[in-house]
């Protein structure tokens, strides 16, 4: 995926609505592109959450492990597709957090991955520039 494609994915995402082209370019620079096969796990319940993911194509189930007495299993709590954001939102608040679900790719899926702390720093910079202008 080339830089323009990354910017297009970000611009189409509701989370970045209202961001200008220059801001989108800065955010695109901190993104890593990851291609995942069906069955791949983006993150797992119980992991330390540090990243946010934006689906550029594909389908991801968010699942939660459940234990009810002697029975154990997984429950799909959400199905996410193109332009949806998932991951550890607490990282944007600079708060450590343990992930509460597992993200499983249901078919070949491409995602943009960014470290939440880097996005937080960048967004803080973008907003401080806007306020001071």
């Amino acid at each position: 995926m080339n830089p323009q494609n990354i910017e297009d994915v970000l611009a189409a995402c509701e989370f970045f609505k209202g961001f200008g082209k220059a801001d989108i370019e800065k955010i695109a620079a901190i993104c890593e592109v990851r291609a995942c096969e069906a069955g791949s796990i983006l993150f797992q319940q119980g992991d330390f959450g540090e990243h946010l993911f934006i689906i550029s194509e594909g389908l991801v189930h968010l699942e939660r492990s459940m234990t009810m007495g002697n029975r154990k299993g997984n429950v799909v709590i959400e199905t996410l597709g193109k332009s949806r954001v998932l991951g550890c939102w607490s990282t944007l608040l600079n708060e450590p957090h343990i992930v509460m679900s597992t993200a499983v790719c249901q078919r070949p899926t491409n995602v943009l991955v960014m470290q939440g702390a880097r996005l937080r720093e960048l967004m803080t910079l973008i907003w401080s520039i806007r306020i001071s202008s």
Side-chain angles (χ1 to χ4, degrees):
M1 185 179 290
N2 67 41
Q4 183 58 54
N5 293 105
I6 294 171
E7 292 169 21
D8 292 344
V9 170
L10 293 171
C13 181
E14 184 71 25
F15 185 72
F16 296 107
K17 185 177 180 176
F19 283 75
K21 182 168 177 43
D23 297 334
I24 294 291
E25 288 172 355
K26 291 174 189 166
I27 296 166
I30 67 168
C31 291
E32 169 194 329
V33 177
R34 188 178 301 168
C36 304
E37 297 178 9
S40 296
I41 295 175
L42 297 176
F43 54 83
Q44 194 156 0
Q45 183 174 332
D47 288 349
F48 182 74
E50 297 181 80
H51 296 89
L52 291 171
F53 303 82
I54 301 171
I55 302 169
S56 62
E57 62 183 78
L59 190 68
V60 176
H61 279 180
L62 289 180
E63 299 178 353
R64 182 92 189 249
S65 295
M66 307 285 286
T67 301
M68 296 175 63
N70 295 335
R71 298 185 308 180
K72 294 181 180 184
N74 293 334
V75 176
V76 175
I77 56 175
E78 181 112 32
T79 300
L80 303 171
K82 187 174 183 173
S83 298
R84 295 295 302 271
V85 182
L86 62 151
C88 190
W89 293 96
S90 297
T91 189
L92 290 177
L93 301 173
N94 202 26
E95 296 289 331
H97 187 73
I98 302 301
V99 180
M100 302 298 289
S101 60
T102 299
V104 183
C105 299
Q106 297 304 299
R107 58 182 182 224
T109 300
N110 292 328
V111 293
L112 301 182
V113 183
M114 61 191 89
Q115 189 177 40
R118 290 191 67 202
L119 180 60
R120 180 180 186 275
E121 290 170 8
L122 187 54
M123 291 178 85
T124 300
L125 176 64
I126 289 168
W127 287 109
S128 66
I129 291 170
R130 285 187 181 183
I131 291 170
S132 65
S133 297

